[in-house]
Amino acid sequence: MEEEVIINVEHLTKDYGYGRGVFDVSIKVHKGECYGYLGPNGAGKSTTIRHIMGFSKPTKGKIEIFGLNSFNNTHKILAKVGYLPGEPAIPLGLDGMGFLRMMQDMRGERNDERLNYLLDLFRLNPNVSVKSMSLGEKRKLAVVAAFMNDPDVLILDEPTSGLDPVMQQVFIHFIIDEKKRGKTILLSSHIFSEVDATCDTISIIKDGIHVSTFKAADLKEGDIATYNIRFRKLEDAKKYAGTKHPSFEVVGVNNGRKIVTVKVKRDLYLDFFKSLRGINVAEFSEKPFTLQDYFMSFYKEEKTFAGLSGVEGNKK
Ligand SMILES: Nc1ncnc2c1ncn2[C@@H]1O[C@H](COP(=O)(O)OP(=O)(O)OP(=O)(O)O)[C@@H](O)[C@H]1O
Ligand SMILES: [Mg+2]
């Protein structure tokens, strides 16, 4: 049975002009899943998240959370969601504990057991002035504030930015635990490893345009394979790399070693093997395909992804 949709973004467009903003983005986050929203700087992650929280009115599109229209229900949403902004604004005049108490009062809820657990987990001393806190400490304070009421839904904009590697790992384990406790999580990131470690569904956005959505498990099962083919003759390698192959893609050429690298979708294997018929191949090996490869390919301009059309998405 399909789980209930908690966050529903349909055809969101926010046009800031000059090609900036987000364009026709759709996202569905189901109850109990961890959804990764992955994209480079300026891709439109924070813009999308701010619209989900209802802080900004879309130019076009429908955005609902718990079935409520976001823009008209910001306060209700803030009360029910653990939200971590990309750039948390914490009043500098308070000390850490003062800020946490203020947030508890605003939500009308106080769960000190949970608060102490989080302060301990993230190793944060809240009894110092916010002004004197380091960037990472302020970040931790915002993380604790987002989680301290133990909300069922978490919306986290680049949650590990500013955290050191040890704290990033603590955070990743924490997210995995939260997922086990049944939480629904949407997190944005430009770090593939944290999304790979935590998320069930992953969406990639670039230049405001949704590029692809896929299940992390599908990628892990190796739906797409990368092969290195070492040719005996350089001219064969060059000719093979220069030929347009309709059902798979040449992603690299090393003339010195006469190696051509290709990406092939597993159900199009046969086409790939046929393409090697009659060519003198010295060696042939498979490289495991990772989310990192997949993500990096979207950083490169004018990249086509032959054979990857099996994943849902629209490409520029
Ligand atoms: N209020 C605004 N007015 C005008 N342009 C904006 C505004 N907010 C965002 N933009 C533009 O929209 C695009 C997307 O910005 P956004 O902050 O959503 O990116 P992001 O994916 O969160 O990036 P980062 O990883 O750097 O946080 C950028 O080109 C940005 O300059
Ligand atoms: Mg951002």
Side-chain angles (χ1 to χ4, degrees):
M1 192 190 74
E2 181 94 318
E3 286 286 357
E4 177 191 350
V5 174
I6 301 288
I7 301 170
N8 186 28
V9 177
E10 285 181 18
H11 307 292
L12 165 65
T13 293
K14 179 70 172 198
D15 191 346
Y16 289 121
Y18 307 100
R20 293 178 313 166
V22 297
F23 304 92
D24 199 23
V25 164
S26 297
I27 290 176
K28 270 192 201 332
V29 184
H30 295 89
K31 193 171 193 303
E33 88 171 320
C34 183
Y35 194 105
Y37 197 41
L38 200 56
N41 293 134
K45 302 181 295 295
S46 299
T47 301
T48 306
I49 287 177
R50 282 199 303 269
H51 281 80
I52 293 172
M53 293 302 298
F55 302 146
S56 218
K57 196 171 181 180
T59 310
K60 266 190 238 158
K62 174 170 125 174
I63 306 163
E64 288 174 343
I65 172 160
F66 315 112
L68 299 169
N69 173 291
S70 287
F71 190 66
N72 301 328
N73 294 285
T74 307
H75 291 289
K76 275 191 201 152
I77 292 168
L78 269 173
K80 285 178 83 173
V81 168
Y83 169 57
L84 179 69
E87 291 164 35
I90 304 172
L92 293 179
L94 297 171
D95 71 358
M97 205 57 185
F99 171 69
L100 295 170
R101 292 292 183 222
M102 183 184 89
M103 295 303 284
Q104 284 178 326
D105 290 345
M106 262 167 62
R107 294 200 189 116
E109 229 181 289
R110 199 159 156 165
N111 181 343
D112 281 351
E113 194 189 325
R114 185 77 180 158
L115 173 60
N116 289 330
Y117 167 77
L118 292 167
L119 290 172
D120 193 44
L121 180 70
F122 291 107
R123 282 177 242 155
L124 179 69
N125 172 10
N127 299 311
V128 295
S129 74
V130 172
K131 212 171 7 188
S132 71
M133 285 185 175
S134 73
L135 194 65
E137 285 164 342
K138 279 187 221 146
R139 197 75 202 168
K140 288 180 186 181
L141 186 62
V143 167
V144 171
F147 287 99
M148 68 185 168
N149 289 341
D150 208 10
D152 291 336
V153 177
L154 299 159
I155 297 184
L156 313 167
D157 193 356
E158 299 206 33
T160 62
S161 86
L163 299 183
D164 66 37
V166 173
M167 276 301 135
Q168 285 184 6
Q169 280 310 309
V170 169
F171 190 85
I172 285 168
H173 288 295
F174 176 66
I175 290 291
I176 292 169
D177 281 347
E178 288 296 275
K179 201 171 76 178
K180 282 190 198 140
R181 293 176 68 224
K183 302 299 169 85
T184 304
I185 305 163
L186 169 66
L187 73 89
S188 82
S189 179
H190 58 259
I191 306 169
F192 31 77
S193 58
E194 72 186 27
V195 168
D196 194 21
T198 51
C199 295
D200 309 299
T201 306
I202 298 169
S203 243
I204 293 181
I205 181 172
K206 183 171 183 274
D207 299 332
I209 292 177
H210 166 246
V211 183
S212 167
T213 299
F214 52 92
K215 297 277 171 207
D218 291 346
L219 205 59
K220 288 193 183 109
E221 281 161 18
D223 192 25
I224 300 130
T226 304
Y227 287 105
N228 282 333
I229 316 149
R230 190 161 65 80
F231 292 83
R232 292 236 182 260
K233 295 185 200 147
L234 179 59
E235 62 197 76
D236 283 349
K238 282 185 172 168
K239 190 171 163 208
Y240 191 82
T243 306
K244 179 104 186 100
H245 303 280
S247 50
F248 60 93
E249 188 185 7
V250 172
V251 293
V253 190
N254 180 331
N255 283 334
R257 298 181 60 210
K258 301 176 216 149
I259 290 177
V260 176
T261 307
V262 298
K263 273 196 200 308
V264 186
K265 213 178 164 207
R266 292 211 188 267
D267 53 4
L268 297 171
Y269 266 2
L270 217 53
D271 290 354
F272 167 57
F273 289 129
K274 278 185 193 158
S275 74
L276 290 169
R277 237 182 238 161
I279 304 175
N280 202 342
V281 172
E283 203 182 313
F284 182 82
S285 61
E286 182 176 344
K287 269 171 67 183
F289 188 70
T290 65
L291 180 57
Q292 174 164 355
D293 296 327
Y294 192 56
F295 187 50
M296 287 311 283
S297 68
F298 290 106
Y299 274 106
K300 296 177 192 152
E301 292 301 323
E302 296 176 43
K303 192 81 188 151
T304 61
F305 244 80
L308 282 185
S309 52
V311 284
E312 166 202 332
N314 43 12
K315 285 175 203 137
K316 235 178 162 176

